[in-house]
Amino acid sequence: MGATPAGWLQAIALVGALALCHRPLGDHIAGLLTSARHLRAEKALYKAVGVDADADQRWPVYLRSVLAFSALSVLFLYGLIRLQTHLLLSLGVPEMEAHQAWNTAVSFTTNTNWQSYSGESAMGHLVQMAGLAVQNFVSAAVGIAVVAALVRGFSRHRTDRVGNFWVDLTRISLRLLLPVSVLFALVLAANGVVQNFHGFEQVTTLSGGQQSIPGGPVASQEAIKLLGTNGGGFYNANSAHPFENPTGFTNLLEVFLLLVIPFALPRTFGRMVGDHRQGHAVVAVMGLFWAASAVLVTFFEHQHSGSALQAAGAAMEGKEQRFGVAASSLFAASTTLTSTGAVNSFHDSFTPFGGGLTVFDMMLGEIAPGGTGSGLYGMLVLAVVAVFVAGLMVGRTPEYLGKKLGGREMKFASLYILTTPTIVLVGTGCAIALPGERAGMLNDGAHGFSEVLYAFTSAANNNGSAFAGITVNTAWYDTALGLAMVFGRFLPVVFVLALAGSLARQRPVPASAGTLPTHGPLFVGLLSAVVLIVVGLTYFPALALGPIAEGLH
């Protein structure tokens, strides 16, 4: 059984909207990253913090700026969470444990937004707005700033400068994320997403019982949660909650928001390197993987064996009746191929192969199209590897965008690729080896293993979605997953910025008859193969123990 006509229409409408935004949004981002003009508000901010906006930084200084800003963000958010009982609009929410506060602070600073708590019962309105929502903006801006530095490495020659982090961070926040988020927050609020400062309202249910329903500034946080590929939900049910996602229209709009910037950034890349065809090749690979994942997840979720599933017409467990299989599958594929982590259904209830694909999507490095910035720099690192592999096959020094790829560049690319699998597999192995942590799994066997594998894959790839079915609010899991988020975010950033600095110092190499064209179908196919072979197969043994074993049982 396949997707319904309504499901296909939703997918077509989504692709059309993304295509319409690809060029203007990509060009706007390129313009703000290359403009020599500073807005008056930006100048005031630079003066207040003592930044020389016209001084570009070497890659080590750029890196130190990223790390220093992120470390301060963790400390600020940790303090805000721990002290929230003493703050305004706390709603009487009790103090969060130290290990959980650490996990949450790291989660939102690293653009992961993993939540080991129920949002409506653990956070007051002030922490939601001044803490979590602010990090939704700046953590997304950090990702775009890092990829901007890498693209400058390709476009600049004989220099040791890759840009100014503070300028990039400010411009991305003020000229891109803030205005677009305000616009779509108004759209979401107009379509039923809650936006108020209410506390807990006691209501009488249809069965005569009492239920406490919290309000809050949801629409304003929902917009940047998705636009910045963050994913943390105001409510525990995330985008399955009718206060966050009330209608089929808002559901499709939320999928659009989490994809629009990552799919526009290849256009930014093409414009900044002076060849739009390069961006077309990258977005083609991203689009192929995204479309394949969406189709396959939908296909597997429509496979139904057993009387219950046959009666429902599909695997409906864990899915919102308002959206059905097609919209849930589209959301699941999109959120795990980006670093968003928002969910409108529970992936733990997906069929073995459908749920396995959501894990595999993250294992690809979330590059199709990936997170805001992180998806593009991940894809460009793999493009470097693809060009190097092609050079080895023909016995020629590999070149990409006029830059030679030698041992130094390949070391940085290799370390980037190896970092995340190491974190995921070591973390999963430790959790499975410890009896106390195994006891936190709701299921045993292959499905229980998948729950743990999903958790560390989500943390290390800075996704933030959860497979559910596993108790993670323990001191061990909060600490281990927090470390996975930190290393999974910042170690790759180190290697990306080092690669940017190495490329920027080179002289341009003119193209010759032996230069591999990196803008045509041949390169699209080569890059796709590298993604599957170099990245995807790294995890095959782990997948074989989890979702594949369960699906073949």
Side-chain angles (χ1 to χ4, degrees):
M1 182 178 176
T4 63
W8 285 112
L9 286 175
Q10 287 187 62
I12 292 170
L14 176 62
V15 171
L18 292 171
L20 286 174
C21 295
H22 173 75
R23 179 170 181 171
L25 183 58
D27 287 347
H28 172 68
I29 298 172
L32 70 89
L33 291 174
T34 56
S35 174
R37 177 173 168 266
H38 306 294
L39 301 181
R40 183 176 300 176
E42 295 169 352
K43 291 179 180 178
L45 285 174
Y46 301 146
K47 184 176 181 181
V49 297
V51 170
D52 182 356
D54 297 314
D56 276 3
Q57 300 170 320
R58 295 180 299 110
W59 79 262
V61 180
Y62 200 103
L63 173 63
R64 288 199 295 270
S65 299
V66 170
L67 297 179
F69 177 77
S70 299
L72 288 174
S73 296
V74 171
L75 291 174
F76 172 78
L77 186 53
Y78 177 84
L80 199 64
I81 294 170
R82 292 284 284 164
L83 295 172
Q84 73 166 328
T85 54
H86 307 289
L87 303 176
L88 296 174
L89 299 175
S90 68
L91 307 181
V93 173
E95 183 178 283
M96 186 176 281
E97 293 289 336
H99 57 81
Q100 193 174 31
W102 138 264
N103 182 278
T104 304
V106 166
S107 175
F108 279 80
T109 301
T110 58
N111 199 241
T112 310
N113 299 67
W114 172 272
Q115 294 174 289
S116 62
Y117 60 89
S118 298
E120 62 266 48
S121 61
M123 296 290 179
H125 293 341
L126 184 63
V127 174
Q128 292 274 16
M129 293 185 296
L132 307 188
V134 168
Q135 287 307 312
N136 284 349
F137 280 96
V138 295
S139 65
V142 167
I144 301 176
V146 171
V147 79
L150 178 59
V151 175
R152 292 187 189 110
F154 284 110
S155 62
R156 295 182 177 183
H157 310 288
R158 289 175 287 187
T159 180
D160 60 353
R161 310 286 163 156
V162 294
N164 187 312
F165 169 73
W166 305 107
V167 172
D168 290 340
L169 178 73
T170 303
R171 289 184 175 184
I172 294 163
S173 299
L174 297 185
R175 300 192 196 183
L176 173 65
L177 298 177
L178 185 60
V180 179
S181 295
V182 169
L183 171 64
F184 282 102
L186 293 173
V187 174
L188 289 170
N191 283 275
V193 179
V194 170
Q195 182 70 19
N196 55 48
F197 290 102
H198 295 172
F200 294 92
E201 300 286 342
Q202 296 295 323
V203 298
T204 302
T205 65
L206 293 176
S207 62
Q210 293 293 312
Q211 184 176 352
S212 180
I213 299 179
V218 181
S220 55
Q221 187 162 323
E222 194 74 11
I224 187 58
K225 149 193 163 178
L226 297 156
L227 185 69
T229 62
N230 295 286
F234 198 98
Y235 299 101
N236 187 45
N238 207 281
S239 287
H241 198 291
F243 285 5
E244 288 194 38
N245 191 4
T247 67
F249 170 75
T250 59
N251 186 73
L252 192 61
L253 179 62
E254 291 186 9
V255 178
F256 166 79
L257 286 175
L258 64 90
L259 293 172
V260 65
I261 290 180
F263 266 129
L265 283 173
R267 171 74 183 188
T268 302
F269 165 63
R271 180 169 173 178
M272 290 179 69
V273 299
D275 186 353
H276 289 303
R277 298 175 302 173
Q278 304 295 334
H280 296 159
V282 170
V283 81
V285 178
M286 290 178 170
L288 285 172
F289 278 101
W290 174 77
S293 177
V295 169
L296 287 173
V297 173
T298 304
F299 171 79
F300 286 124
E301 291 311 296
H302 275 101
Q303 303 307 299
H304 44 84
S305 59
S307 57
L309 297 184
Q310 288 176 359
M316 289 302 298
E317 180 188 341
K319 296 182 178 66
E320 258 291 330
Q321 299 294 319
R322 295 174 297 143
F323 306 135
V325 168
S328 297
S329 300
L330 181 64
F331 204 117
S334 300
T335 199
T336 51
L337 280 169
T338 60
S339 65
T340 310
V343 294
N344 74 347
S345 56
F346 284 93
H347 299 174
D348 186 50
S349 296
F350 276 36
T351 60
F353 289 127
L357 273 169
T358 63
V359 184
F360 184 69
D361 287 345
M362 293 185 291
M363 289 174 171
L364 288 177
E366 294 173 327
I367 52 171
T372 49
S374 60
L376 180 57
Y377 66 62
M379 186 63 83
L380 292 180
V381 170
L382 289 169
V384 167
V385 175
V387 172
F388 184 77
V389 169
L392 292 179
M393 290 191 292
V394 299
R396 177 182 171 83
T397 302
E399 302 164 8
Y400 185 42
L401 299 177
K403 301 296 177 76
K404 287 188 176 182
L405 304 176
R408 179 180 176 84
E409 289 77 21
M410 292 314 302
K411 287 175 184 176
F412 292 138
S414 299
L415 289 169
Y416 177 96
I417 291 171
L418 292 172
T419 296
T420 305
T422 301
I423 297 169
V424 171
L425 298 177
V426 169
T428 302
C430 290
I432 294 297
L434 296 173
E437 309 316 318
R438 285 203 307 272
M441 299 187 305
L442 178 65
N443 301 278
D444 56 11
H447 195 80
F449 179 82
S450 295
E451 293 170 353
V452 178
L453 179 65
Y454 192 108
F456 278 95
T457 303
S458 178
N461 285 282
N462 303 129
N463 182 274
S465 65
F467 211 51
I470 179 174
T471 302
V472 292
N473 185 22
T474 66
W476 190 90
Y477 265 118
D478 278 334
T479 303
L481 292 173
L483 291 173
M485 295 175 211
V486 170
F487 293 131
R489 174 71 163 183
F490 295 113
L491 283 180
V493 166
V494 172
F495 304 132
V496 167
L497 292 177
L499 178 61
S502 180
L503 293 170
R505 284 197 297 268
Q506 294 188 26
R507 298 170 179 266
V509 179
S512 64
T515 301
L516 172 69
T518 54
H519 56 264
L522 176 63
F523 184 70
V524 170
L526 177 63
L527 180 53
S528 300
V530 166
V531 171
L532 286 174
I533 296 170
V534 175
V535 181
L537 291 184
T538 303
Y539 295 97
F540 183 78
L543 289 169
L545 292 172
I548 295 177
E550 184 184 3
L552 296 177
H553 187 268

